[in-house]
Amino acid sequence: MIVFYVLFALYIAFVWIDYFRMLDIFKKTSIWVIVSQFVLGALMVLPILAWARWVPDFHFVQEGEDAGSIILHQIVEVGMVEEFLKFLPFVLSFVFIKKYLEEPIDYVLVICASALGFSALENVLYFMDSPGITLASRALFSTVSHLFNTSLLAYAVIRWVFKNDGTGGFWLLLCYLLAAFSHGIFNSILSIKNLMIVTAILFLLVYFMFVVNWFASTVNSAINKSPHFSYQKYFDGNELLKKLSLRYGILIAAAVLVTMLTEGFNSGLLVLLYSTIGMALVMSVVIFRITRLTLRKDYWFPITLSFLIKIRPHRSKGILFPRYDIMGSSIAENLLHRHFESPSDITPISTRNSYLEYTRLSLMFDKIFIEDMAFFVVKIFHNQRDGAFDTVLIKDKQVGEAWYGSAPIIALFELPADKKTDWSDLKLNEITFIEWAWMGEI
């Protein structure tokens, strides 16, 4: 079974490395640098094995039975040690790989590749010791936690290198301590005895609803700060969502099948139940968030202890309802980038009382943010060739049916008369809704 365990662990790592590669949209990171960091990260497990063998009775913090001592032990003796070791390959090899690191996403990818390598070898060792439900647990939660925690150190590094405001050392220390704390909390959830499976998964759901935003902020900032940034380059969030969901489905199916063959039908059913609940409650939310990134040139997303879901008031038919939004941009917003600086057709959803009246020629030429909401600036020509045009704002539809076939439905907004050419200080209450439409490629 060792061959299966190795392949299973490598496939988990492949899922995440390919995710980064799909987001590396401007200039691809050297694959050999990624592989070298992955291997070095895996080797960092060896010092821990040596420590456990040669000085098994030495502990910085003794783990007791109560929750407090478990948490302290996991933060100090596990979190601080492992987060240091996962970051160490980048530090030791930086002088050799620096010339290959042009963009912030390069730094994030190589640092996270080390974490994935560390997690891969650790996974194999856990699988050999205790397969079955461990296969699903490591695939669904542990590798993701390793990745998300180490991404905090990647955030500190890209902030140091690309922002260079004199606070790099402070941020590196802060992010290291936060990563160690988060690592310890995650391990504690899995270590505390007498927690039912469903209860543990609910704790993990709350945990990931916080830490996923750290990861998303890191990756998003890395993309936005690229020296090669262009709104003409974009990623397909829907494709990312489908790939991650499909690949995690494959991992779950493999874990269930192997458990049934090696430990019996009932054990396989337990893995299936655990995986289904974990995928439905935790990973579906995680995957949804990390595919909703916002292309915003030169913008840093801060690392905050913010919850994944925002509650906003929404009025429908005169009644005020709470609206629950997952942070990040919609898939439709990112797909609209395919029209950037490319002549496109714009067609009204309804020609009744329409400003557009019929399909017009349009040109999207800028993206702006008004009170953190994304809008595209578009020229709409009076005829199908060139000449006179109106400048309007468009935004993807946020509520209700949001697609016209495969095209996002967009709202057209009129700019105030004194801000037709300068919208730098535009406010939401200054723009006026015109109508619904959709854009198509010529």
Side-chain angles (χ1 to χ4, degrees):
M1 291 304 295
I2 182 64
V3 174
F4 170 78
Y5 295 150
V6 171
L7 292 176
F8 192 80
L10 288 176
Y11 187 72
I12 298 171
F14 162 76
V15 168
W16 287 102
I17 288 176
D18 191 58
Y19 164 80
F20 282 114
R21 297 283 286 176
M22 290 181 68
L23 291 176
D24 193 5
I25 54 179
F26 304 118
K27 189 175 181 181
K28 296 293 185 185
T29 308
S30 170
I31 192 67
W32 87 261
V33 175
I34 298 171
V35 172
S36 67
Q37 294 299 298
F38 180 86
V39 172
L40 289 173
L43 293 176
M44 291 299 103
V45 176
L46 300 182
I48 295 177
L49 295 177
W51 183 283
R53 179 171 181 174
W54 293 333
V55 281
D57 297 325
F58 179 83
H59 298 281
F60 294 106
V61 177
Q62 190 69 40
E63 184 175 21
E65 295 293 328
D66 61 291
S69 66
I70 291 174
I71 292 172
L72 186 60
H73 170 82
Q74 293 294 339
I75 291 172
V76 175
E77 193 152 322
V78 181
M80 295 185 74
V81 172
E82 292 192 1
E83 292 307 322
F84 172 78
L85 290 173
K86 286 186 290 179
F87 186 60
L88 190 57
F90 171 76
V91 176
L92 295 178
S93 62
F94 179 69
V95 67
F96 303 105
I97 66 174
K98 182 180 179 180
K99 62 182 179 181
Y100 299 100
L101 307 179
E102 295 184 38
E103 304 176 280
I105 194 68
D106 298 336
Y107 288 81
V108 175
L109 212 168
V110 298
I111 292 171
C112 287
S114 174
L116 290 169
F118 184 97
S119 179
L121 182 54
E122 189 181 62
N123 285 344
V124 172
L125 297 174
Y126 273 104
F127 297 158
M128 293 172 62
D129 182 61
S130 176
I133 207 166
T134 305
L135 291 170
S137 176
R138 300 294 301 182
L140 288 172
F141 306 129
S142 299
T143 298
V144 181
S145 177
H146 270 302
L147 183 65
F148 286 9
N149 291 330
T150 303
S151 73
L152 283 167
L153 290 163
Y155 181 90
V157 170
I158 63 174
R159 202 179 187 282
W160 194 338
V161 174
F162 291 91
K163 199 166 187 178
N164 195 22
D165 58 0
T167 62
F170 166 78
W171 276 98
L172 187 60
L173 177 60
L174 177 65
C175 288
Y176 166 68
L177 294 175
L178 188 56
F181 176 79
S182 175
H183 193 138
I185 294 298
F186 172 81
N187 280 15
S188 299
I189 294 172
L190 300 182
S191 299
I192 295 175
K193 297 178 181 179
N194 302 321
L195 269 186
M196 295 178 62
I197 287 178
V198 174
T199 305
I201 290 177
L202 288 175
F203 275 123
L204 289 174
L205 174 61
V206 175
Y207 168 83
F208 278 112
M209 278 191 166
F210 282 98
V211 300
V212 68
N213 283 324
W214 302 344
F215 178 77
S217 294
T218 298
V219 175
N220 215 155
S221 298
I223 295 171
N224 291 340
K225 294 295 290 185
S226 170
H228 308 295
F229 185 95
S230 168
Y231 282 124
Q232 290 179 290
K233 300 280 189 179
Y234 67 97
F235 60 90
D236 187 338
N238 194 44
E239 184 181 355
L240 273 173
L241 183 68
K242 288 179 179 177
K243 276 194 173 184
L244 285 172
S245 301
L246 174 63
R247 288 168 176 175
Y248 264 89
I250 292 171
L251 286 168
I252 290 171
V256 171
L257 179 61
V258 167
T259 304
M260 284 185 173
L261 292 174
T262 57
E263 299 184 29
F265 184 77
N266 289 339
S267 295
L269 283 182
L270 179 63
V271 172
L272 178 61
L273 175 64
Y274 179 84
S275 302
T276 302
I277 296 173
M279 189 69 186
L281 290 181
V282 181
M283 284 308 298
S284 59
V285 175
V286 167
I287 291 172
F288 196 62
R289 173 64 182 97
I290 64 175
T291 55
R292 292 167 58 92
L293 305 178
T294 303
L295 293 175
R296 186 172 181 177
K297 187 175 182 180
D298 209 34
Y299 185 80
W300 284 102
F301 283 91
I303 296 290
T304 60
L305 285 174
S306 54
F307 200 57
L308 178 63
I309 297 175
K310 287 184 176 180
I311 303 176
R312 297 176 179 174
H314 171 65
R315 187 174 296 277
S316 177
K317 297 180 180 180
I319 302 175
L320 195 65
F321 294 97
R323 174 180 162 189
Y324 302 92
D325 290 335
I326 290 183
M327 294 175 67
S329 293
S330 67
I331 289 172
E333 179 189 314
N334 282 325
L335 283 181
L336 286 173
H337 286 91
R338 63 188 172 189
H339 301 290
F340 203 87
E341 295 185 353
S342 176
S344 305
D345 286 334
I346 187 165
T347 305
I349 295 295
S350 172
T351 56
R352 185 179 179 183
N353 299 322
S354 171
Y355 150 75
L356 291 171
E357 298 185 80
Y358 50 85
T359 299
R360 303 272 201 98
L361 178 67
S362 68
L363 181 66
M364 180 188 296
F365 66 96
D366 199 4
K367 184 178 185 180
I368 64 173
F369 289 81
I370 308 174
E371 299 173 22
D372 280 337
M373 294 181 67
F375 293 82
F376 295 92
V377 187
V378 177
K379 294 178 182 178
I380 299 181
F381 293 90
H382 293 179
N383 59 56
Q384 285 296 85
R385 292 181 177 272
D386 51 24
F389 61 84
D390 296 328
T391 301
V392 301
L393 299 181
I394 67 168
K395 180 168 184 56
D396 57 296
K397 191 177 181 184
Q398 301 285 300
V399 180
E401 181 56 48
W403 297 84
Y404 188 85
S406 60
I409 296 176
I410 54 175
L412 273 64
F413 294 91
E414 182 181 5
L415 288 161
D418 60 338
K419 295 184 179 178
K420 296 284 188 182
T421 58
D422 180 11
W423 39 82
S424 57
D425 61 346
L426 197 59
K427 303 292 189 298
L428 282 176
N429 60 8
E430 295 179 306
I431 60 176
T432 306
F433 173 77
I434 303 174
E435 64 178 315
W436 299 107
W438 61 278
M439 296 183 78
E441 297 173 328
I442 296 177

